[in-house]
């Protein structure tokens, strides 16, 4: 694979091309560095709402149906996603139509109609209700725990937004957010597949060269603060199972220890041989699955463990989980286990070479965030992580004062005091 090519236009827009001549599909995307953390106070969900509205028609495509049909006529489809600090519009299409795909995306970004707000408000409201209990409480584990990790900061709030805030977002709010954050110096265009960089630069210049750059607002940083846990929050829901998320504040996205953190995540919950899978499912038989994920941002991050179990099993599951964390902090990972996990990680990196979407994320999102690296560079970093480094990281992360636990479900059925006591040990 050739190294990605990157050209910056006069207006600050970065155009990245990952030329993959051996593949037969292309991914065209525009990444913008704006997401939930950029939503104003009282307007949670604004970035996500705006993402939805850009599909409601443009000056060139009168409706969402016309936009969808235009992309399908290129042999693919269009989608978008908003997370804590980025928004992406993307489509997988036939390589010979990559330029036309970018033209449609440019129309959405520069000439949206922003019509049909009330219809979209109802749709987004239905999406928000998926994380609301019958009592009206937030039951998304990410939000329940996020508010403990980053109190009084947008990073801890729902990207979709609260029902109250969704109800008050106006067309003026959407247009202001668009004018503020949707700027070429806050964006990256990336194309991955059997495409030519020069052709995509020419297309970006034609369709997006007139996009005007502007100064960007200062983003509210996460206040530096010592770990103040353990912290625990119980939220009642009528589900038959308890949902548990145990999280730990961790490094930011450019930190040198991020690679070790990714290996640690795989050791904990990266497959059938992972420690939590073996302990909680194969030995105790108390869960169906367990996942671990990493959130990494400009100045902070977290490692989260997610699972569900019957109320009567929650204490046992939490105790066993904490014991596995203690063991990781107390002794080095055996060499055989480390090499097995490392081998799978290195293989997954190689497999991603065959995915236009993963290459687009790696070099599009990575360029936007200033952390783009080649697969070879990542593989070198993975090979260098030692058992001692993993143990030291585990000891730092899993301290009682860095534990944040969210428990959601029929909480009247569990011993809350016992859970809090376990968390403090």
């Amino acid at each position: 694979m050739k190294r990605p090519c990157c050209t910056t236009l006069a207006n600050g827009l970065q155009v990245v091309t990952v030329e993959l001549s051996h593949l037969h599909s292309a991914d065209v995307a525009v990444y913008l560095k704006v997401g939930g953390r950029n939503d104003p106070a009282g307007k949670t969900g604004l970035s996500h709402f705006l993402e939805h509205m850009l599909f409601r028609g443009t000056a060139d495509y009168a409706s969402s149906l016309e936009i969808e049909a235009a992309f399908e006529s290129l042999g693919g489809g269009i989608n978008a996603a908003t997370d804590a600090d980025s928004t992406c519009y993307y489509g997988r299409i036939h390589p010979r139509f990559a330029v036309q795909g970018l033209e449609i995306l440019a129309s959405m970004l520069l000439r949206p109609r922003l019509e049909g707000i009330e219809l979209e408000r109802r749709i987004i409201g239905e999406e928000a209700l998926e994380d609301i209990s019958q009592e009206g409480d937030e039951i998304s584990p990410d939000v329940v725990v996020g508010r403990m990790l980053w109190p009084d900061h947008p990073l801890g709030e729902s990207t979709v937004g609260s029902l109250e805030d969704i109800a008050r977002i106006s067309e003026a709010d959407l247009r202001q957010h668009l004018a503020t954050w949707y700027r070429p110096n806050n964006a990256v265009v990336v194309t991955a597949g059997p495409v030519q960089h020069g052709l995509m630069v020419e297309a970006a210049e034609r369709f997006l060269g007139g996009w005007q750059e502007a100064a960007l607002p200062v983003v509210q940083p996460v206040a530096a603060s010592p770990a103040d846990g353990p912290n625990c929050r119980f939220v009642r829901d009528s589900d038959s199972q308890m949902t548990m998320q145990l999280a730990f504040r961790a490094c930011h996205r450019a930190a040198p220890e991020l690679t070790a953190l990714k290996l640690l995540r795989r050791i904990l919950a990266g497959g059938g041989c992972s420690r939590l899978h073996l302990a909680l499912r194969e030995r105790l038989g108390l869960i169906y699955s367990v996942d671990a994920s990493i959130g990494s941002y400009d100045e902070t991050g977290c490692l989260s463990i997610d699972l569900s179990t019957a109320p009567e099993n929650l204490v046992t599951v939490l105790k066993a989980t904490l014991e596995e964390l203690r063991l990781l902090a107390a002794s080095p990972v055996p060499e055989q286990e480390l090499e097995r996990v490392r081998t799978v990680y290195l293989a997954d990196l190689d497999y991603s070479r065959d995915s236009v979407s993963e290459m687009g994320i790696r070099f599009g999102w990575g360029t936007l965030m200033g952390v783009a690296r080649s697969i070879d560079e990542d593989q070198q970093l993975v090979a260098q992580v030692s058992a001692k480094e993993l143990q030291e990281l585990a000891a730092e992360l899993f301290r009682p004062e860095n534990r944040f636990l969210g428990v959601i479900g029929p909480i009247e059925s569990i011993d809350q005091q016992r859970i809090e006591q376990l968390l403090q040990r």
Side-chain angles (χ1 to χ4, degrees):
M1 186 183 81
K2 294 172 58 178
R3 288 192 65 86
C5 301
C6 183
T7 298
T8 303
L9 304 187
N11 60 4
L13 178 65
Q14 296 182 85
V15 182
V16 177
T17 309
V18 190
E19 298 185 9
L20 303 166
S21 59
H22 61 293
L23 299 183
H24 299 86
S25 64
D27 189 88
V28 181
V30 179
Y31 284 88
L32 296 116
K33 195 172 184 181
V34 56
R37 73 172 302 170
N38 306 99
D39 294 343
K43 300 290 175 65
T44 59
L46 180 56
S47 296
H48 175 256
F49 204 136
L50 180 59
E51 173 231 301
H52 275 237
M53 289 303 302
L54 262 61
F55 283 82
R56 283 279 156 202
T58 77
D60 311 292
Y61 304 94
S63 66
S64 56
L65 177 60
E66 288 194 19
I67 293 173
E68 297 280 359
F71 242 91
E72 288 183 13
S73 71
L74 306 181
I78 186 171
N79 211 330
T82 302
D83 61 24
D85 57 359
S86 70
T87 303
C88 177
Y89 300 86
Y90 61 95
R92 186 183 183 190
I93 56 178
H94 196 282
R96 71 177 186 271
F97 298 129
V99 168
Q100 293 94 320
L102 181 58
E103 183 177 15
I104 299 170
L105 291 174
S107 181
M108 294 171 64
L109 293 167
L110 302 187
R111 295 180 294 279
R113 296 164 66 100
L114 298 185
E115 296 177 352
I117 290 176
E118 293 311 315
L119 176 61
E120 202 61 49
R121 194 190 312 277
R122 292 198 296 272
I123 293 171
I124 296 171
E126 290 298 318
E127 186 178 355
L129 283 170
E130 294 178 0
D131 290 327
I132 302 296
S133 71
Q134 291 180 332
E135 290 79 14
D137 296 321
E138 177 67 59
I139 55 173
S140 164
D142 290 337
V143 178
V144 171
V145 176
R147 288 172 177 169
M148 291 186 280
L149 288 167
W150 303 295
D152 303 316
H153 191 278
L155 268 184
E157 296 300 322
S158 167
T159 302
V160 175
S162 70
L163 289 173
E164 294 77 13
D165 287 357
I166 293 168
R168 66 168 63 100
I169 290 173
S170 67
E171 180 181 343
D173 294 325
L174 293 165
R175 293 194 180 279
Q176 180 62 47
H177 208 61
L178 181 73
T180 301
W181 296 105
Y182 278 54
R183 293 293 181 174
N185 49 314
N186 198 39
V188 171
V189 169
V190 60
T191 309
V195 291
Q196 296 178 357
H197 181 62
L199 190 66
M200 297 312 299
V201 171
E202 179 185 321
E205 186 67 66
R206 189 182 341 146
F207 304 133
L208 295 164
W211 195 5
Q212 295 185 350
E213 64 179 318
L216 300 166
V218 176
V219 178
Q220 178 187 346
V222 174
S225 61
D228 53 6
N231 206 334
C232 185
R233 206 164 278 175
F234 299 94
V235 181
R236 190 187 182 284
D237 186 37
S238 58
D239 198 350
S240 61
Q241 282 194 309
M242 305 301 307
T243 297
M244 180 188 101
Q245 183 177 106
L246 178 61
F248 311 88
R249 286 184 186 147
C251 60
H252 60 85
R253 64 166 57 98
E257 63 267 33
L258 183 60
T259 301
L261 183 64
K262 291 178 179 180
L263 273 169
L264 198 59
R265 181 196 71 80
R266 287 170 172 261
I267 290 168
L268 281 169
C273 293
S274 62
R275 292 197 178 191
L276 291 177
H277 180 91
L278 292 175
L280 303 178
R281 174 172 166 142
E282 297 305 312
R283 288 200 291 272
L284 294 175
L286 298 181
I287 65 163
Y288 174 70
S289 65
V290 57
D291 296 306
S293 59
I294 295 170
S296 57
Y297 309 104
D298 281 341
E299 73 280 57
T300 188
C302 67
L303 171 68
S304 303
I305 298 167
D306 291 89
L307 57 84
S308 295
T309 191
E312 63 269 22
N313 297 331
L314 185 62
V315 168
T316 303
V317 166
L318 177 59
K319 186 176 181 180
T321 299
L322 293 172
E323 176 61 15
E324 292 300 323
L325 301 180
R326 187 194 67 78
L327 290 172
L328 274 170
S331 58
V333 176
E335 192 61 30
Q336 183 178 5
E337 180 184 11
L338 177 55
E339 284 310 305
R340 185 186 67 245
V341 173
R342 197 196 311 270
T343 297
V344 175
Y345 192 177
L346 293 172
D348 284 342
L349 287 169
D350 271 335
Y351 301 154
S352 71
R353 299 179 194 269
D354 297 325
S355 169
V356 289
S357 60
E358 290 194 39
M359 289 297 96
I361 294 169
R362 171 175 287 272
F363 294 107
W365 179 88
T367 298
L368 182 72
M369 299 301 175
V371 293
R373 282 196 301 265
S374 71
I375 291 174
D376 291 343
E377 289 169 330
D378 265 350
Q379 287 179 327
Q380 290 174 7
L381 290 173
V382 172
Q384 293 168 5
V385 175
S386 67
K388 180 182 178 183
E389 187 178 349
L390 289 170
Q391 182 185 357
E392 291 174 349
L393 179 59
E396 174 64 22
L397 281 180
F398 302 145
R399 294 171 294 131
E401 58 267 32
N402 194 36
R403 296 172 180 170
F404 301 84
L405 177 67
V407 177
I408 302 159
I411 57 175
E412 66 278 0
S413 305
I414 59 175
D415 187 341
Q416 297 182 27
Q417 184 176 7
R418 176 67 173 143
I419 289 170
E420 291 174 339
Q421 290 171 346
L422 284 173
L423 206 61
Q424 292 170 1
R425 291 182 179 177

